[in-house]
Amino acid sequence: MTEKSADAFRTIGEMAEALGVRTHILRYWEEQFPMLKPLTRAGGRRLYRPEDVALLHTIYRLLHSEGYTIKGARKFLTSGGAKAAPVPTPVAAPAPAAGISVDLSALRAVRDRLNAALQAA
């Protein structure tokens, strides 16, 4: 299967798979988050634009990673919190304890693979 362009529209099934949730969850989020308005086609087919995709990823992160409730996440997003959220800055790692060796090339390889996976998502 070929990967879609970042600018391509996504179906509800594709988004559900990408986020690891069921399609009814995405429909529920559309009810709970008024700023989430996918395009609808004949027969009610939903098509998520790139900005909808980014918003869905933010909603997922708020609910599943940061522990927000639906109400709290909605308030955060309507108050412009997603735009005002600080971007984490990298922190220098502390030096390893005496006698412990660290393979920096292996750590960099893991970091690069994780970055590539995030870019592909």
Side-chain angles (χ1 to χ4, degrees):
M1 183 170 143
T2 60
E3 188 67 29
K4 280 189 172 182
S5 160
D7 296 332
F9 288 25
R10 310 275 190 238
T11 65
I12 192 168
E14 290 171 331
M15 282 311 305
E17 184 178 334
L19 294 171
V21 299
R22 309 254 326 224
T23 55
H24 72 273
I25 299 295
L26 298 180
R27 289 187 205 101
Y28 177 70
W29 288 355
E30 289 172 24
E31 294 173 5
Q32 297 301 313
F33 296 93
M35 68 286 296
L36 181 59
K37 296 283 185 199
L39 296 175
T40 52
R41 294 291 182 229
R45 280 182 37 110
R46 289 165 170 80
L47 293 175
Y48 293 98
R49 297 170 292 235
E51 56 269 18
D52 296 323
V53 170
L55 181 57
L56 283 170
H57 281 285
T58 301
I59 291 169
Y60 181 86
R61 178 180 50 82
L62 291 172
L63 297 177
H64 293 274
S65 299
E66 297 186 22
Y68 278 79
T69 61
I70 293 277
K71 183 178 178 181
R74 186 181 329 117
K75 184 176 179 182
F76 177 82
L77 291 171
T78 56
S79 69
K83 295 178 198 120
V87 176
T89 56
V91 178
I100 298 176
S101 65
V102 177
D103 183 3
L104 291 179
S105 62
L107 291 176
R108 286 186 185 108
V110 169
R111 180 198 59 199
D112 294 341
R113 285 194 309 252
L114 288 172
N115 280 333
L118 286 172
Q119 295 301 321

